[in-house]
Amino acid sequence: TVLVVGITAIALHNNQSTAWWDGKGRNFYIKEDGDYALYADKFGHFMGGYSIAYCAREAFVFSGFSWEQSILLGSLFGLVTQTYIEFKDGYAENTGFSPSDFAADFAGVTYFYLQHYIPFLQNFSPKWQYSPPEMIGVPPSARTQTFLDNYNSTTGWISVHVRNLFWGDKASFWPKWLNIGFGYGINGYYTTNISSRFVIGIDYNLVELLPDGVPFWNWSKQSL
């Protein structure tokens, strides 16, 4: 587990170094970018905190920690990781420390933590979608160095568990596996014609749709 976490951390660090930190350091400075990428960037930071906390929690559970300990330690690991990234941005020539980015990081970790103790929040699952730019017609000039910030290709989603939200365990015509997703993304990133993209569509609750099986299979469908 330590090896996997270490390799993941190094890979993320190298990815960010290539895309943002570029080796041109300066003194720490603050640079607010609240409306950067028409706010699509903020959902990316939210998902970063949420996803890292989730993966860390799973690693702690696998390592033998209790469920409650793993939730707390995973959340702290997510927050520390995102804080490290934000402070590295603060020394980079092209970025700077963004308070709104850090707030989005903190919100993602906090939401992950609270979902375990406020059952109502489990009806709203954040998800992140990526479509390779060459498959959706994004011109090479509008593609970024890293897929994490290629906002033409990404969509942030909130998947609503409709059946559980409105009916719970009561009988209903609505299938347990059918969710409704509300998404947001942008078009025209890296161009002069940037615009917002709002999406609504069906989504699938794979925990309810797919049958149970061996532990790794159950973990995989839960993670997806």
Side-chain angles (χ1 to χ4, degrees), residues 43-96:
F43 192 88
H45 282 270
F46 179 94
M47 283 301 300
Y50 186 94
S51 300
I52 292 173
Y54 173 82
C55 293
R57 183 203 65 190
E58 297 299 289
F60 282 116
V61 169
F62 182 77
S63 300
F65 288 84
S66 71
W67 184 249
E68 288 74 17
Q69 289 174 329
S70 298
I71 293 169
L72 177 60
L73 292 172
S75 299
L76 290 175
F77 184 87
L79 182 59
V80 168
T81 301
Q82 292 297 87
T83 301
Y84 166 77
I85 291 173
E86 299 306 336
F87 271 87
K88 284 287 290 183
D89 282 351
Y91 289 98
E93 185 176 45
N94 298 324
T95 53

Side-chain angles (χ1 to χ4, degrees), residues 118-180:
I118 303 177
F120 179 77
L121 295 180
Q122 296 175 16
N123 294 308
F124 307 94
S125 296
K127 294 187 177 183
W128 186 78
Q129 174 187 344
Y130 176 79
S131 303
E134 62 274 10
M135 296 180 62
I136 58 174
V138 177
S141 60
R143 301 176 191 174
T144 59
Q145 297 183 60
T146 170
F147 74 95
L148 291 174
D149 66 328
N150 200 335
Y151 295 114
N152 293 313
S153 297
T154 61
T155 304
W157 293 88
I158 295 295
S159 181
V160 181
H161 301 254
V162 178
R163 169 66 176 269
N164 190 62
L165 181 63
F166 292 103
W167 291 280
D169 294 329
K170 298 178 182 178
S172 170
F173 68 94
W174 195 280
K176 290 183 177 181
W177 49 263
L178 183 60
N179 292 357
I180 298 294

